[in-house]
Amino acid sequence: MADAKPTLPALLVEALHGVRSVGVITGAGVSAESGVPTYRGKGGLYEEDEGKIDALTGTTLLSDPDRTWRAVGDLARHATGARPNAAHLAIAEIEKKVERFVLLTQNVDGLHEAAGSRNVIDIHGSITRTRCMGCGADGELGREELEAIHAAPRCRHCGATLRPAAVLFGEFLPEEKVERMRCEFLDNPPALVLVVGTSALFPYIVEPVLAARRAQRLTVEVNPAPTVLSSVVAWFLQGGAAAIVPEIAREIR
Ligand code: APR
């Protein structure tokens, strides 16, 4: 029998009606039901190989770029064939229903864009886009090329080593994306801030939720496991994104 649809609390349903501005914040958990492993927790990528975090640091990129690229290729392979799930699609639906929408995602799997989300702040960048560490040229790698990668690719203009246009551990976030996050979430928090599938380890993920709370906005978290945000948000909905987020989207009208 199909899983019974989760019933949202009546007070939350009432609060969702009439919401006209929404900010969504996502992490790897929103893609878990697309078959993309999370980083932490049971079955997480970092659980199976502790060296992966070290391989994905800015320091390793400079000292051993082949190792970093092999780890990036591994991330890509774990997302091979993944398709947007009901949560990605529901988030794209919400964007169409409200006057003001922004999505802050930590994910590099491209599934939000594939689901139709438009106003996306991909704060950790992308693993298919590249930048030359010599001449700065921007580029793109095909998914197949990325999944088969075993050594750092070279720039076809100058021959220098390419880097992924993604934020690695120990690196700064792109200033223009931090500025967009600040403007969309901190300066004037949306009426609803919805956090889905993140362990909420980074200040730029926690701060938008705290700002929404301080501004008496509606805050909701969807996660099967409690996080540091679960005691901060007005509503912590314990469960999977693919079941719960469509219910939230349905009540935003
Ligand atoms: N639905 C919703 N949430 C889920 C689901 C699901 N079906 N399955 C797991 N989760 C939750 C987990 O409980 C956990 O809180 O998703 C979260 C995944 O946490 P992480 O693996 O830490 O992923 P994330 O929060 O995105 O990590 C942030 O850290 O490693 C870096 O750059 C990497 O972007 C990543 C960042």
Side-chain angles (χ1 to χ4, degrees):
M1 189 176 84
D3 291 349
K5 279 198 175 38
T7 312
L8 300 180
L11 282 175
L12 172 58
V13 169
E14 201 180 314
L16 289 169
H17 290 172
V19 158
R20 305 307 312 143
S21 61
V22 175
V24 179
I25 301 171
T26 64
V30 77
S31 300
E33 287 153 290
S34 296
V36 182
T38 58
Y39 295 95
R40 300 170 182 86
K42 200 159 54 61
L45 290 173
Y46 298 159
E47 305 306 312
E48 74 182 26
D49 169 5
E50 271 136 50
K52 198 170 292 296
I53 290 188
D54 186 48
L56 293 168
T57 61
T59 316
T60 303
L61 174 69
L62 297 176
S63 62
D64 185 356
D66 294 350
R67 182 179 170 214
T68 296
W69 273 104
R70 284 194 298 274
V72 171
D74 191 47
L75 289 184
R77 280 189 294 279
H78 277 96
T80 304
R83 303 286 311 134
N85 64 53
H88 296 104
L89 296 170
I91 290 167
E93 269 316 298
I94 293 172
E95 183 166 10
K96 292 183 197 135
K97 293 171 94 171
V98 296
E99 283 148 26
R100 177 184 152 208
F101 179 90
V102 60
L103 167 60
L104 173 65
T105 188
Q106 301 167 90
N107 299 346
V108 292
D109 55 31
L111 291 180
H112 282 303
E113 292 81 353
S117 288
R118 293 277 166 271
N119 190 18
V120 182
I121 306 173
D122 56 342
I123 195 88
H124 290 163
S126 153
I127 53 175
T128 53
R129 292 196 298 273
T130 62
R131 192 169 54 251
C132 175
M133 296 204 279
C135 66
D138 291 329
E140 186 93 23
L141 288 178
R143 275 273 162 192
E144 301 70 34
E145 184 184 2
L146 182 58
E147 288 165 13
I149 209 154
H150 55 275
R154 295 280 170 168
C155 176
R156 63 169 186 277
H157 305 294
C158 75
T161 302
L162 299 182
R163 62 155 296 146
V167 180
L168 300 175
F169 282 101
E171 294 189 321
F172 288 106
L173 296 171
E175 187 45 43
E176 77 278 3
K177 292 183 183 174
V178 174
E179 194 44 39
R180 274 183 69 198
M181 182 278 287
R182 202 174 286 132
C183 172
E184 297 269 14
F185 282 93
L186 306 188
D187 296 351
N188 174 21
L192 163 65
V193 172
L194 169 61
V195 192
V196 184
T198 180
S199 50
L201 297 178
F202 300 122
Y204 49 91
I205 297 302
V206 172
E207 187 48 37
V209 184
L210 299 180
R213 276 298 273 167
R214 283 195 296 269
Q216 276 88 43
R217 305 296 204 257
L218 179 59
T219 49
V220 179
E221 180 187 30
V222 176
N223 197 317
T227 71
V228 290
L229 290 176
S230 306
S231 55
V232 169
V233 295
W235 299 93
F236 169 49
L237 305 177
Q238 189 149 10
I244 296 175
V245 178
E247 292 303 298
I248 294 172
R250 190 189 323 280
E251 296 304 340
I252 294 176
R253 46 198 158 96

